[in-house]
Amino acid sequence: MAIDNKKYDYLFSNLKTQTIEGIYIFGKDDQYLINQNYSSITNLENQIWSDLYINLELVLDQYSSKEYLLGIKSLPIPRDRFPDFKAISPIIKNSTGWSLLPVAGFLDEELFFEINAKKQFPVTDIIRKSPRFDKKYHDRTIKNEEGYTPEPDIFHDIQAHVPFLMNKEFAEFLADVGRLGHEIIVDTRKLGPELVAHNLKRLQNFAWWTYEFGVIKNNGNADSYRRNNNDIDYEIYGAGIISSCDETNNIIQCAKGKSKRSKFLPFDIEEIIMTRYDFSNLQERYYVIDSMEDMYKAYYKNKSLFFYEG
Ligand SMILES: [Fe+2]
């Protein structure tokens, strides 16, 4: 895969080694499509979902963005048991044209962007900390000492990402990112594998610092949707934050000045696409957008940044 090419990596700042050792990565030629077998879900798996959901429910109600709050309220995502893809997918389809595509795990970027371009969102059907999850990786360790792993799970995919697909602007934006990723990979501009790899990493950085780990300036406009007013300067919209209790609490503690672990930086598209990330720990930085509209505008206006020619 093109991602192995490192010739232009010296251009990135904050470069972290990124190994996904041991994780299965599914490509086009693999059996990556699955059916959610809802009747096989165990009480323990429902309990894990419920514990994760309830732990985050109130805190997200207070600190997540309006798009998220509206999305989660409009979908049948249960708090006490696994979500049923068949109940959720038609509602999103009806609203923004996206549908859920159950997949076996982590997809390579070629497949991922191609699927997104078709307005399909890949979702996994197993949950962290469950015997089924452990069984998948019974012969290897894919976590660091603190238990972090980049292996996707149903909680991250459904609880954190999927609510945003109910928002028309976001849904169009995400499909466009898919098309752009696909355009980079098929390399119609004949830039060659090294530059394709570099440009793909730029797009991955963009995705990471925006819809995976981004925050929005809190202007108080979403408080009417909350039970308690948001009392920090930021709203959370990154799905990597939303599905993590530790990451969400880290944002709140840092925003309240109770921790100095991470900093909040102004969003600058040229900076974020050149800033690599470490997915094995809490983020040391969060980029702050003024509004979702500002982030979309920056993206649509600066697509040429993803076709660096060397
Ligand atoms: Fe994600």
Side-chain angles (χ1 to χ4, degrees):
M1 200 49 227
I3 196 78
D4 292 333
N5 293 297
K6 294 195 161 75
K7 187 176 165 191
Y8 293 96
D9 278 3
Y10 72 94
L11 293 171
F12 294 115
S13 59
N14 192 33
L15 192 66
K16 304 263 169 85
T17 42
Q18 290 193 84
T19 44
I20 323 179
E21 269 164 38
I23 292 219
Y24 298 123
I25 300 177
F26 293 84
K28 260 184 181 172
D29 300 328
D30 299 318
Q31 290 265 11
Y32 65 91
L33 292 174
I34 56 162
N35 285 314
Q36 185 187 26
N37 186 357
Y38 198 76
S39 61
S40 80
I41 296 160
T42 64
N43 288 344
L44 175 63
E45 286 166 330
N46 283 329
Q47 189 61 49
I48 296 170
W49 172 279
S50 177
D51 289 347
L52 288 167
Y53 193 100
I54 290 166
N55 229 345
L56 277 157
E57 193 178 20
L58 275 175
V59 90
L60 290 176
D61 186 80
Q62 188 170 4
Y63 296 110
S64 64
S65 78
K66 187 173 96 180
E67 295 74 18
Y68 180 76
L69 292 172
L70 292 176
I72 196 124
K73 278 175 190 156
S74 59
L75 287 171
I77 299 178
R79 64 201 292 271
D80 60 346
R81 62 191 182 281
F82 260 39
D84 181 352
F85 299 160
K86 286 199 178 86
I88 298 169
S89 193
I91 298 173
I92 309 173
K93 179 99 183 164
N94 202 20
S95 179
T96 61
W98 278 74
S99 55
L100 304 183
L101 189 71
V103 298
F106 203 95
L107 306 182
D108 71 26
E109 50 277 278
E110 184 176 2
L111 192 51
F112 185 82
F113 287 130
E114 205 179 286
I115 288 172
N116 273 192
K118 289 189 277 188
K119 292 195 170 180
Q120 293 177 326
F121 195 78
V123 286
T124 45
D125 71 339
I126 59 176
I127 197 155
R128 63 192 77 169
K129 298 173 186 159
S130 67
R132 224 186 285 256
F133 192 97
D134 292 341
K135 197 173 152 209
K136 185 173 178 181
Y137 287 106
H138 70 279
D139 57 348
R140 65 195 78 180
T141 306
I142 56 158
K143 299 169 189 159
N144 72 3
E145 283 158 14
E146 291 175 59
Y148 287 97
T149 169
E151 171 77 6
D153 82 336
I154 187 172
F155 191 71
H156 173 72
D157 293 338
I158 299 285
Q159 177 263 7
H161 276 295
V162 161
F164 288 94
L165 299 177
M166 290 297 282
N167 180 279
K168 286 200 166 52
E169 289 76 27
F170 185 89
E172 285 312 312
F173 156 76
L174 198 63
D176 203 82
V177 173
R179 286 192 291 270
L180 181 68
H182 185 63
E183 201 184 328
I184 294 170
I185 289 164
V186 295
D187 195 20
T188 41
R189 302 175 195 214
K190 303 268 179 285
L191 299 177
E194 292 283 359
L195 283 164
V196 165
H198 176 75
N199 284 317
L200 260 186
K201 286 173 192 168
R202 286 181 170 215
L203 189 58
Q204 286 171 332
N205 291 343
F206 173 78
W208 188 267
W209 299 118
T210 57
Y211 59 83
E212 288 292 354
F213 284 92
V215 298
I216 314 177
K217 210 174 266 177
N218 174 22
N219 59 16
N221 287 351
D223 279 344
S224 56
Y225 301 97
R226 309 182 192 284
R227 275 168 263 193
N228 294 306
N229 287 352
N230 180 350
D231 56 1
I232 62 172
D233 291 338
Y234 314 104
E235 294 180 351
I236 299 164
Y237 78 101
I241 307 168
I242 287 173
S243 59
S244 161
C245 214
D246 288 347
E247 200 89 41
T248 300
N249 285 327
N250 184 52
I251 299 254
I252 299 165
Q253 295 305 310
C254 292
K256 289 186 171 176
K258 292 179 180 168
S259 164
K260 290 196 175 358
R261 176 162 186 154
S262 314
K263 52 193 174 212
F264 297 95
L265 301 169
F267 175 82
D268 174 340
I269 191 164
E270 291 190 30
E271 181 178 326
I272 67 160
I273 62 162
M274 298 309 288
T275 305
R276 299 293 272 154
Y277 52 83
D278 180 4
F279 50 65
S280 69
N281 216 328
L282 292 175
Q283 299 304 301
E284 50 153 47
R285 61 183 67 202
Y286 303 101
Y287 286 97
V288 187
I289 56 173
D290 282 343
S291 65
M292 294 300 279
E293 290 66 36
D294 272 17
M295 190 267 284
Y296 302 147
K297 253 189 236 160
Y299 164 77
Y300 287 113
K301 260 174 59 187
N302 292 288
K303 281 192 194 174
S304 60
L305 292 173
F306 301 103
F307 296 98
Y308 176 67
E309 295 181 1

